Amino acid sequence: MLSLILCIFRPLAHFRPQMDPDPSRPVERAIRTKLTNTLKPDHLEVHNESHMHAVPPGSESHFRVLVVSAQFKGLPLIQRHRLVNDALKEELSSCVHALAIQAKTPEQWGSNPTLAKSPPCMGGSRGDHTMEEKLKAGRE
């Protein structure tokens, strides 16, 4: 039931890098809450990039996260990504189609406090006129 609730389309709003969850975007809120509870980040940014892809307006399906956590100290990048993926396994198995991850230690963030930019969508599903039906089926 929670997955169904999380996949409801909501209007897009401006990016908000702060850690406060926005109740009008349930998937973003769930991502923020789970990453905060699991990784205790010093800094967290969650960006809904769905508007950059071939999905209906208001979708919450493509995200970029920046997580700065002391729990990443001494871990290789693949292990850091696994921690993030494990925290979000419910969302990744239901309504989140793509997740770009930047996982930094506080020291790395201190020396390079930037968020990478996402490349433009290559349009993989832009020609698929059944995409809206597929997304709807995924929510049911």
Side-chain angles (χ1 to χ4, degrees):
M1 179 66 176
L2 180 59
S3 295
L4 178 62
I5 293 169
L6 293 175
C7 293
I8 296 172
F9 292 122
R10 298 290 182 182
L12 289 174
H14 296 290
F15 290 143
R16 293 173 15 133
Q18 67 268 25
M19 295 173 74
D20 296 333
D22 183 337
S24 70
R25 295 190 300 269
V27 178
E28 180 181 330
R29 183 177 65 242
I31 290 170
R32 287 181 187 282
T33 299
K34 289 180 179 185
L35 291 177
T36 298
N37 292 342
T38 304
L39 299 172
K40 311 289 188 249
D42 296 339
H43 183 81
L44 174 64
E45 295 184 27
V46 179
H47 298 277
N48 181 352
E49 296 186 336
S50 302
H51 66 282
M52 298 167 57
H53 300 275
V55 295
S59 294
E60 289 192 278
S61 58
H62 295 70
F63 287 89
R64 171 172 291 279
V65 297
L66 167 64
V67 186
V68 179
S69 175
Q71 292 184 32
F72 295 147
K73 286 183 183 178
L75 295 180
L77 189 58
I78 188 74
Q79 289 293 65
R80 296 174 187 190
H81 282 222
R82 285 180 181 151
L83 288 173
V84 172
N85 286 331
D86 285 347
L88 303 177
K89 61 185 163 192
E90 181 179 359
E91 291 73 22
L92 290 169
S93 68
S94 58
C95 53
V96 173
H97 171 74
L99 179 67
I101 301 169
Q102 281 185 263
K104 297 183 176 190
T105 65
E107 293 76 22
Q108 290 170 322
W109 176 247
S111 66
N112 182 12
T114 61
L115 175 67
K117 301 283 187 209
S118 292
C121 178
M122 299 301 289
S125 60
R126 289 193 191 277
D128 184 351
H129 301 292
T130 64
M131 182 53 69
E132 191 162 349
E133 290 85 19
K134 290 176 185 175
L135 288 170
K136 184 179 177 184
R139 294 189 311 266
E140 295 173 348

